[in-house]
Amino acid sequence: MFIALNYTALKEYVDVVGFDKDNTLTGRYENEIHPDARFGLDQAMQVFGKEGVAILSNSAGTKDDPGYIDALEIEAA
């Protein structure tokens, strides 16, 4: 089941949107956006702009991220 958000309407109330990366936009410990999440993320970026969309991870940069490799890859992207 897909739920569509009207980002244009949301923009009337907020300036930025944030997404949880792990198990929301991607699979666990993956960095590729899942195809089912791509459309919504693209729509958010179209309305809010790249600087108005934050993608957060609660595992990157922690002890679950050996050598902080995941954090470095995410920051570079």
Side-chain angles (χ1 to χ4, degrees), residues 3 20 25 29-30 36 50 52-54 56-57 59-60 67 69 71 77:
I3 298 173
D20 176 51
L25 295 178
Y29 302 117
E30 293 181 17
D36 291 343
K50 186 176 180 180
V53 176
L56 309 170
S57 172
S59 62
I69 293 170

Side-chain angles (χ1 to χ4, degrees), residues 6-23:
N6 183 333
Y7 290 108
T8 303
L10 184 62
K11 181 119 172 85
E12 293 181 34
Y13 302 98
V14 298
D15 295 323
V16 298
V17 291
F19 294 93
D20 176 51
K21 179 185 98 52
D22 307 304
N23 296 321

Side-chain angles (χ1 to χ4, degrees), residues 21-56:
K21 179 185 98 52
D22 307 304
N23 296 321
T24 304
L25 295 178
T26 69
R28 186 175 174 106
Y29 302 117
E30 293 181 17
N31 288 333
E32 292 296 318
I33 303 297
H34 191 278
D36 291 343
R38 171 57 60 194
F39 179 77
L41 180 60
D42 288 346
Q43 292 296 306
M45 291 182 72
Q46 194 171 56
V47 172
F48 288 91
K50 186 176 180 180
E51 59 284 335
V53 176
I55 299 175
L56 309 170

